[in-house]
Amino acid sequence: MSTKRFSKIVGSGSYIPTVQIKNEHFLNHEFFEPNGQKIETSPEIIIEKFKDITGITERKYASDDQQNSDLAYLAAKDALESSKIDKESLDYIIVAHNFGDVKPNSTLTNQLPCLAAKVKNLLQIENPKTIAYDILFGCPGWIQGMIQADYYIKSGDAQRVMVIGSETLSRVCDPHDRDSMIYSDGAGAAILEACEAEEASGILSHAVRTDTINEAFFLRADISDNADFEGNSNSLFIKMYGRKIYEYAITNVPGVVKESIDKAGLGIKDIKRILIHQANEKMDEAIAKRLFRLYQEKNIPKDIMPMIIKEMGNNSVATVPILYDQIAKDKLDDHKLNEGDYVVFASVGAGMNINAFVYKV
């Protein structure tokens, strides 16, 4: 039997910032509606409702001496060191993010040079054939980078590709917006490598969709909800229509995940874990229920969708690679990946974009 070329994850890494921000941090915040009206509900009640919906009790912020490219570099360094892979052997470095480098107390973004170039510089990679570039695809950016890397490898163009997801959302969230409590910072990385095998392995299939007619600005950049905020003249913050995103996600993500599973010739009972973007605990649970309903399955295994959002918050493109790295390194109780397991990686976010791929360990 002839062999085929597949993309396997041979290394992973992550960087979780050390500044711990608990929900109580927001007790002294004044929150406003998008129309500029001050919310009179007490911060205590707002925070409690927020916790019930999202599951978040704390999040991690980058320290003032770190920028996004630093976080990406530290995750990349961890992936290289833990896998003992030669950095000069990388054919591509792809960095997924949305806001570039942002300094503390500023929303000004710096994307020149691109973050991938900065990471390559920090790693001191000399090889000119290690191609470094960024990808902007909302929260699904890291998964989209993995899909691109899979194409490079299966075409024969690349042997090893590092894909990094890194973000410092704490620098671009409006302190007067309730949604600002969702966001956090962090970075995760994975190294894909070509392998020859008779039996299918690694990334088996993927599915992607983009909706923009009515959905393009569900996530966007805009001024503070507080019209009197002194930085409004030159600041843009991340903004979202939470209810619309929730409805969009639970309506469309299950179908994209099912499409990726169907393309792999599998069924939902074959899937051991679903590693989904950690955006909102209740939203992810609703997605799981609707996905299983598409397969006429009522019973959802309790451990199929690992969650780390409680302590991590939503760090956008970094949520899925951090989640994978924690499982791969046995840092999550009751969650292990064994050889032969089928795993789905999935995400949804700005664009609006949805993507998913099926991976055989």
Side-chain angles (χ1 to χ4, degrees), residues 307-328:
M307 299 295 293
I308 57 174
I309 193 171
K310 180 179 179 181
E311 295 86 14
M312 299 287 182
N314 174 358
N315 43 40
S316 185
V317 291
T319 68
V320 177
I322 288 176
L323 176 60
Y324 172 80
D325 184 56
Q326 293 217 325
I327 295 174

Side-chain angles (χ1 to χ4, degrees), residues 51 75 77 86 95 138 143 156 165 184-185 190 202 206 215 223 237 240 252-253 272 281 295-297 326-327 358-359:
K51 177 180 173 293
K77 184 170 178 282
D86 178 8
V95 176
I143 288 179
S184 64
D185 307 336
H206 71 264
E215 303 85 359
I223 62 173
F237 302 99
M240 69 177 179
N252 296 294
V253 172
K272 184 71 171 180
E281 191 172 67
Y295 288 93
Q296 287 79 52
E297 290 289 341
Q326 293 217 325
I327 295 174
V358 177
Y359 184 86

Side-chain angles (χ1 to χ4, degrees), residues 67 69 97 99-101 109-118 134:
Q67 294 195 79
S69 54
H97 64 92
F99 294 96
D101 275 339
T109 66
N110 178 357
Q111 301 187 55
L112 188 67
C114 70
L115 296 198
K118 293 178 181 177
D134 292 1

Side-chain angles (χ1 to χ4, degrees), residues 12 73-85 191 329:
S12 65
Y73 155 70
L74 290 167
K77 184 170 178 282
D78 182 29
L80 289 167
E81 290 179 349
S82 61
S83 64
K84 296 180 172 55
I85 286 175
I191 301 173
K329 293 176 179 173

Side-chain angles (χ1 to χ4, degrees), residues 263-326:
K263 282 183 176 180
L266 302 171
I268 192 64
K269 289 186 176 181
D270 297 310
I271 305 303
K272 184 71 171 180
R273 293 286 187 275
I274 298 172
L275 307 188
I276 196 167
H277 171 46
Q278 309 285 291
N280 176 316
E281 191 172 67
K282 279 194 166 46
M283 185 178 82
D284 288 347
E285 290 171 353
I287 288 170
K289 288 179 182 178
R290 292 199 177 200
L291 172 62
F292 274 75
R293 195 182 304 160
L294 291 177
Y295 288 93
Q296 287 79 52
E297 290 289 341
K298 294 182 179 180
N299 297 321
I300 304 175
K302 66 175 182 178
D303 59 351
I304 195 167
M305 190 177 278
M307 299 295 293
I308 57 174
I309 193 171
K310 180 179 179 181
E311 295 86 14
M312 299 287 182
N314 174 358
N315 43 40
S316 185
V317 291
T319 68
V320 177
I322 288 176
L323 176 60
Y324 172 80
D325 184 56
Q326 293 217 325

Side-chain angles (χ1 to χ4, degrees), residues 193-259:
E193 182 176 273
C195 71
E196 301 286 338
E198 294 180 356
E199 185 178 345
S201 187
I203 296 179
L204 305 182
S205 62
H206 71 264
V208 186
R209 71 179 283 169
T210 296
D211 295 280
T212 61
I213 296 299
N214 299 307
E215 303 85 359
F217 299 98
F218 283 0
L219 272 152
R220 65 204 187 283
D222 209 339
I223 62 173
S224 172
D225 289 346
N226 180 1
D228 295 325
F229 180 67
E230 62 181 18
N232 263 349
S233 61
N234 58 5
S235 297
L236 290 175
F237 302 99
I238 182 172
K239 293 289 176 179
M240 69 177 179
Y241 295 115
R243 171 51 58 177
K244 290 182 178 180
I245 292 172
Y246 180 90
E247 292 172 352
Y248 172 82
I250 66 173
T251 300
N252 296 294
V253 172
V256 175
V257 173
K258 185 176 187 299
E259 181 185 348

